Amino acid sequence: MDFHLSEEHKMIQDAARDFAREVVAPRAAELDQTATFPEENFRQAAEQGFAGILVPEEYDGAGMDNLALALIMVEINKACASTGVTLSVHNSLATAPVILHGTEDQKREWLPKLASGEVLGAYSLSEAPSGSDAAALRCTATKDGDDWVINGTKLWVTSGSHAGLFVVFARTDPDASNTRGITCFLVPRNLDGFTIGKKEDKLGIRASSTTELIFENCRVPSANVLGEVNRGFPIALSTLDGGRIGIAAQALGIAEACLEASIKYSKEREQFGKPIAHFQPIQWKIAEMAAKIEAARLLIWQAAWLKDRGEPHASQASIAKLEASRTANFCAREAVQVHGGAGYMVDFPVERYMRDARITEIYEGTTEIQKLVIARGLLR
Ligand SMILES: Cc1cc2nc3c(=O)[nH]c(=O)nc-3n(C[C@H](O)[C@H](O)[C@H](O)COP(=O)(O)OP(=O)(O)OC[C@H]3O[C@@H](n4cnc5c(N)ncnc54)[C@H](O)[C@@H]3O)c2cc1C
């Protein structure tokens, strides 16, 4: 067993760290406070190859693996979780299913554009009546000649305001059981009958956009079906298995940022004539944060490693997300506490970390749903 990263992975991690520090971090607070979509960060990330991390080189991508993706996500989320989720959804939820399930024509059409950042990707499964119970979705697609006609409203689509390609799930067989009658479609932004609805105002990841999608007799050519008709739900779930490693990496990035900020502040802030880092309760907080962070890191690396080897990884991805998201929230709470009143003010980044950490326990499957996935694997 070797816990060292390869030279290549170390180089990727260093490149992501430099990019995050130099480009992403300086803009993070302002983007958050003004709820401005991190368009320029995405464009510059794409120049680094971070928009096509998993895309094979033959489709103009970086051809990297899932461990590389996780390492990059940690560094970027450490600087700005809004930029992080934009890139995570783009790579893991929008691009990855095209790589895995796309026809040759679909890959040639979309992967180079996704990898270059010309097109931003989004993933649209959730609806008002179907969140955790995703298979209960009601949006329909009806066959008409050579097209499918989509009707319905999708909810809470990350990057909806700016995406050029949407991976959309709709019900194509109303008579089939919930999970069997769903099909996955590649929906470009400019189709008639497809509009972007309400943009949400949020507690955290405020610079990331979260929108409704509204379909009113929107015609999508049959050639845009991803995978097989009525077999879209397994694509939705297996895509989320990969996405959960990305969100776990997001959580780890936030947790690391909390630890770094706490170490820095505790050495600078003096009370009772000493830096507060001299007080054992502060040291315990820092030690506990570090221990949980290292545990989360190992779980994320393990899940990514299993995925890269083509081995079953659904349960490990859920375990990694469960623990990393708890760690992010634990560390954010403790970081605010280490900062005292300053931690409650927007002048310090830890209040943003606390707001951003919260979402990691909710999207791409809540904490409760991760536990269901893990238990199902064990009790099968
Ligand atoms: C900022 C943001 C971005 C998002 N981005 C996307 C996106 O890009 N694409 C997309 O498709 N979706 C997206 N979502 C939707 C997200 O995945 C869902 O919010 C999430 O899956 C939970 O669904 P829900 O909100 O409907 O909660 P609900 O399913 O209504 O759950 C409410 C509560 O009940 C619990 N619960 C539900 N069922 C069970 C059960 N069987 N056992 C135990 N507890 C249960 C949940 O854990 C939760 O605590 C996003 C959401 C947010 C907030």
Side-chain angles (χ1 to χ4, degrees):
M1 193 178 292
D2 184 358
F3 289 100
H4 291 107
L5 291 176
S6 68
E7 281 308 311
E8 197 190 349
H9 281 122
K10 268 194 238 162
M11 276 171 51
I12 292 165
Q13 188 182 43
D14 287 345
R17 187 171 296 149
D18 290 346
F19 173 75
R21 278 190 190 149
E22 287 159 24
V23 176
V24 182
R27 298 172 179 152
E30 192 190 339
L31 291 177
D32 172 68
Q33 281 161 24
T34 56
T36 304
F37 188 74
E39 208 171 353
E40 183 57 19
N41 284 349
F42 178 72
R43 193 189 64 72
Q44 288 184 253
E47 283 174 4
Q48 302 288 316
F50 299 160
I53 297 168
L54 300 174
V55 176
E57 288 174 13
E58 60 178 304
Y59 302 103
D60 302 341
M64 295 188 245
D65 60 11
N66 288 281
L67 179 56
L69 175 57
L71 296 171
I72 294 166
M73 285 306 120
V74 172
E75 298 305 326
I76 292 183
N77 280 287
K78 201 166 161 179
C80 172
S82 293
T83 304
V85 70
T86 305
L87 281 164
S88 186
V89 167
H90 173 84
N91 280 286
S92 300
L93 298 191
T95 306
V98 181
I99 299 170
L100 282 177
H101 306 284
T103 62
E104 193 50 34
D105 283 350
Q106 288 170 340
K107 289 184 194 178
R108 295 253 163 248
E109 180 176 3
W110 291 109
L111 292 181
K113 290 180 195 159
L114 290 162
S116 70
E118 179 188 336
V119 169
L120 172 66
Y123 172 95
S124 179
L125 178 64
S126 304
E127 297 176 11
S130 57
S132 300
D133 184 11
L137 63 84
R138 293 187 189 160
C139 195
T140 59
T142 314
K143 193 89 201 290
D144 184 21
D146 230 12
D147 294 336
W148 289 88
V149 181
I150 305 186
N151 276 292
T153 300
K154 308 295 282 187
L155 200 65
W156 296 342
V157 178
T158 297
S159 302
S161 60
H162 287 70
L165 179 68
F166 297 79
V167 173
V168 176
F169 296 87
R171 184 163 302 288
T172 38
D173 183 352
D175 300 325
S177 74
N178 264 359
T179 56
R180 291 206 161 259
I182 292 170
T183 300
C184 180
F185 295 91
L186 296 177
V187 181
R189 185 185 188 85
N190 54 4
L191 292 184
D192 288 342
F194 173 26
T195 49
I196 311 301
K198 182 183 170 216
K199 179 175 179 260
E200 303 292 342
D201 195 3
K202 309 192 291 292
L203 171 73
I205 53 164
R206 291 182 56 75
S208 145
S209 91
T210 311
T211 71
E212 271 180 343
L213 306 183
I214 300 163
F215 294 96
E216 290 164 308
N217 294 321
C218 172
R219 298 187 86 86
V220 179
S222 292
N224 289 32
V225 169
L226 187 69
E228 289 174 42
V229 172
N230 292 331
R231 298 296 297 148
F233 200 63
I235 296 179
L237 293 190
S238 63
T239 300
L240 284 173
D241 291 340
R244 284 168 185 162
I245 303 174
I247 299 306
Q250 171 175 58
L252 177 58
I254 296 169
E256 284 188 5
C258 291
L259 177 60
E260 272 185 22
S262 300
I263 291 171
K264 182 170 181 289
Y265 188 80
S266 66
K267 287 181 177 175
E268 290 168 0
R269 172 71 174 164
E270 293 195 2
Q271 286 293 279
F272 302 95
K274 301 176 185 164
I276 59 169
H278 282 241
F279 304 129
Q280 206 172 45
I282 300 291
Q283 293 174 6
W284 286 344
K285 289 186 192 307
I286 285 169
E288 275 199 62
M289 281 192 229
K292 288 182 193 297
I293 284 171
E294 288 315 313
R297 189 190 324 283
L298 291 177
L299 289 171
I300 292 166
W301 286 13
Q302 184 193 33
W305 179 82
L306 285 170
K307 185 162 166 53
D308 283 329
R309 289 166 62 101
E311 293 187 28
H313 58 273
S315 191
Q316 284 304 323
S318 285
I319 290 173
K321 182 179 184 282
L322 176 68
E323 285 305 318
S325 60
R326 277 176 174 166
T327 296
N329 282 278
F330 173 83
C331 291
R333 197 175 181 285
E334 293 296 68
V336 170
Q337 199 67 19
V338 167
H339 283 69
Y344 204 69
M345 305 298 157
V346 292
D347 305 336
F348 286 83
V350 289
E351 63 84 31
R352 170 164 55 90
Y353 302 155
M354 188 160 177
R355 288 185 287 105
D356 288 349
R358 199 65 191 82
I359 190 61
T360 64
E361 292 184 312
I362 295 172
Y363 57 17
E364 299 199 27
T366 61
T367 291
E368 292 74 18
I369 294 304
Q370 304 312 324
K371 290 184 192 173
L372 288 184
V373 172
I374 297 161
R376 205 180 296 139
L378 292 169
L379 299 171
R380 188 176 289 142

